[in-house]
């Protein structure tokens, strides 16, 4: 039986997100969603009265980043074993996601990198991180 390290990997861009876990051999996707997935608020909030001069595509990506942060926050609330977060996204998306993380989850960020790995297959993704062979050094509470 594979053992999971207590780290959630979030690989995102402005329209897609995947959450992965390390099973002792490689990273495996445990869930994924995109801007058009049921359960995100991104599409519903685009074009609101609050930001009449904003580009709808920019609004969509901002709302999606907020939804991604919400999914990450919920994952840490549901799974108390999680002790660390590795986050990759393009710079502007990365900033939006980090802005909406709870303080408790933000304190568990091990690495936040400006990379777009959303189209990288699971078996290749671990090579994009400087993960020590012994695993990440987890943040202390």
């Amino acid at each position: 039986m594979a053992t999971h390290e207590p780290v959630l990997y979030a690989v995102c861009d402005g329209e897609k997100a995947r959450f992965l876990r390390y099973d002792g051999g490689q990273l495996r996707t445990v869930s994924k969603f995109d801007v058009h997935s049921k359960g995100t608020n991104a599409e519903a909030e685009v074009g609101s009265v609050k930001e009449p001069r904003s580009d709808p595509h920019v609004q969509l990506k901002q709302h999606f980043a907020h939804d991604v942060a919400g999914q990450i926050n919920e994952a840490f609330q549901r799974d108390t074993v999680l002790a660390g977060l590795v986050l990759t996204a393009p710079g502007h998306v990365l900033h939006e996601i980090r802005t909406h993380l709870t303080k408790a989850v933000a304190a568990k960020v091990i690495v936040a990198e400006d990379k777009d790995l959303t189209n990288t297959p699971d078996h290749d993704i671990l090579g994009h991180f400087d993960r020590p062979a012994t695993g990440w050094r987890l943040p202390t509470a």
Side-chain angles (χ1 to χ4, degrees):
M1 180 173 191
T3 57
H4 288 275
E5 75 177 350
V7 176
L8 179 67
Y9 293 76
V11 176
C12 317
D13 65 11
E15 298 178 1
K16 297 176 285 196
R18 284 191 309 171
F19 300 122
L20 303 99
R21 297 284 304 270
Y22 183 71
D23 69 2
Q26 75 176 42
L27 287 172
R28 297 198 188 276
T29 299
V30 293
S31 68
K32 60 185 174 180
F33 67 101
D34 64 31
V35 73
H36 304 291
S37 295
K38 187 176 181 176
T40 67
N41 295 321
E43 284 190 310
E45 295 185 23
V46 170
S48 72
V49 180
K50 296 178 188 173
E51 301 177 69
R53 295 185 186 175
S54 293
D55 179 349
H57 292 17
V58 171
Q59 279 185 308
L60 189 64
K61 289 181 180 189
Q62 288 172 338
H63 291 294
F64 182 71
H66 185 178
D67 288 344
V68 170
Q71 294 281 335
I72 293 169
N73 290 332
E74 287 177 24
F76 276 84
Q77 190 173 21
R78 260 191 332 267
D79 190 347
T80 58
V81 172
L82 289 175
L85 173 64
V86 174
L87 179 60
T88 66
H92 62 286
V93 178
L94 185 64
H95 173 74
E96 284 293 322
I97 292 169
R98 291 190 77 169
T99 300
H100 297 289
L101 294 176
T102 64
K103 286 184 181 183
V105 173
K108 294 181 180 188
V109 173
I110 300 168
V111 174
E113 294 188 21
D114 181 355
K115 292 182 181 182
D116 182 358
L117 301 174
T118 54
N119 295 319
T120 305
D122 286 2
H123 63 273
D124 289 338
I125 208 160
L126 190 60
H128 291 275
F129 297 106
D130 292 328
R131 181 186 178 277
T134 56
W136 297 108
R137 183 173 178 202
L138 299 173
T140 55

